Amino acid sequence: MLGLLQGVSELFPVSSLGHSVILPRLVGWNIHQDDPYFLTFLVATHIATALVLFGFFRRDWWRIITGLGRSLRDREIADADARLGWLLIVGTIPAGILGLTLEHSLRRIFASPQSAAIFLALNGLLLFGAELLRRRAPEEELDDDVRIARRVSWRGAFTIGAAQAIALVPGFSRSGASMGGGLLVGLSHKDAARFAFLLATPIILAAGVLKLPELAGPQGNGVRGPALVGALCAGATAWASVRFLMRYFETQTLMPFAVYCAAAGTAAAIWFAVS
């Protein structure tokens, strides 16, 4: 169940970490976010999600990687593929630094289901605000990646990357913050989702790989079997989710997710307060 939930909630703008903290408390499972075995389990599901994203956008990543290679060889950013690659690197830097320095402290401070529920409701307000304040994207008949590379500035890429760090707090969504940032810099919903998924891939994969020794080491004892099952389930739902969302955002907005987060977070917070 947690694997299936991870694959969906990591890509939908509804906070995978928040749901992973709230769900066990709602259904009465004796699982806590700071338990070593639980963190080890999440490593496997995150790696599976990142590999699915890489596979789904494999053609884009091939163009981006070859574009970066050309720019390093020629010492100039001469095409959209190279520019998009450097934009992703710029966006990855703030999220990576903030993640390494603040991850453990933020998760320790806001590890309770009550806090996660409150921040999930605030995540809904964040999505709602992004929709209200978004800049209208111009109509351009261009390749998706070319359109993104032209529209996003270096400052915009840094801002979107920094916004991802809010997902270190359980209840806030990485993809939601990135998509919201994309809307604010003038991307369409489809392009904001595409850039968010491209930007999330190396960050999720790197975070999982850094903690992979925990899964292979003593902390993985007794967890590897469930972690493998959870990873397979997360991969399956992540693939279905990214396919759905890339079609959904061609015509739809973040508003349904904003309403869901606000309502579900508020209801969970009230439930935890009275139970």
Side-chain angles (χ1 to χ4, degrees):
M1 289 182 65
L2 286 174
L4 294 171
L5 177 67
Q6 163 67 25
V8 174
S9 56
E10 181 68 46
L11 302 183
F12 279 66
V14 297
S15 178
S16 63
L17 186 56
H19 280 74
S20 295
V21 173
I22 293 171
L23 179 63
R25 173 69 179 275
L26 285 178
V27 298
W29 294 340
N30 187 26
I31 296 176
H32 303 283
Q33 183 192 348
D34 289 332
D35 289 337
Y37 70 87
F38 184 53
L39 296 176
T40 303
F41 172 85
L42 289 181
V43 167
T45 60
H46 277 80
I47 290 176
T49 303
L51 291 176
V52 164
L53 283 175
F54 187 83
F56 187 86
F57 293 105
R58 60 191 179 278
R59 294 185 180 89
D60 301 77
W61 279 112
W62 173 253
R63 290 171 52 182
I64 290 167
I65 292 170
T66 54
L68 286 172
R70 286 192 303 272
S71 71
L72 291 172
R73 181 195 63 199
D74 302 333
R75 297 185 179 181
E76 64 174 345
I77 303 175
D79 55 73
D81 293 331
R83 178 176 169 81
L84 180 57
W86 286 111
L87 286 170
L88 292 173
I89 290 174
V90 170
T92 300
I93 291 172
I97 293 174
L98 292 172
L100 289 173
T101 57
L102 299 177
E103 177 183 15
H104 294 293
S105 59
L106 287 176
R107 289 191 180 186
R108 183 170 58 251
I109 294 172
F110 302 114
S112 71
Q114 292 91 338
S115 295
I118 292 171
F119 288 122
L120 181 62
L122 293 178
N123 184 68
L125 296 181
L126 182 150
L127 299 179
F128 183 72
E131 285 289 350
L132 289 181
L133 299 175
R134 72 183 181 94
R135 294 169 56 188
R136 297 289 176 178
E139 296 293 335
E140 296 179 291
E141 295 296 331
L142 299 170
D143 175 83
D144 292 338
D145 291 345
V146 173
R147 192 166 54 245
I148 294 171
R150 289 188 178 183
R151 191 66 180 166
V152 179
S153 66
W154 301 111
R155 178 183 295 181
F158 187 89
T159 301
I160 295 171
Q164 286 193 95
I166 199 172
L168 297 173
V169 178
F172 284 108
S173 166
R174 182 197 315 275
S175 61
S178 298
M179 290 181 202
L183 294 178
L184 293 179
V185 302
L187 293 179
S188 66
H189 290 87
K190 176 185 176 182
D191 290 346
R194 191 180 197 87
F195 189 73
F197 293 147
L198 289 172
L199 187 59
T201 303
I203 295 175
I204 298 173
L205 185 60
V209 170
L210 285 174
K211 295 182 179 180
L212 193 59
E214 298 178 8
L215 185 61
Q219 291 188 18
N221 294 338
V223 185
R224 295 187 188 95
L228 176 60
V229 174
L232 292 174
C233 292
T237 53
W239 182 267
S241 296
V242 69
R243 282 178 57 88
F244 169 79
L245 288 172
M246 289 311 301
R247 294 177 181 176
Y248 172 87
F249 283 119
E250 290 180 358
T251 57
Q252 303 299 321
T253 73
L254 289 170
M255 291 305 293
F257 305 107
V259 172
Y260 164 77
C261 289
T266 301
I270 294 173
W271 175 265
F272 294 145
V274 302
S275 61

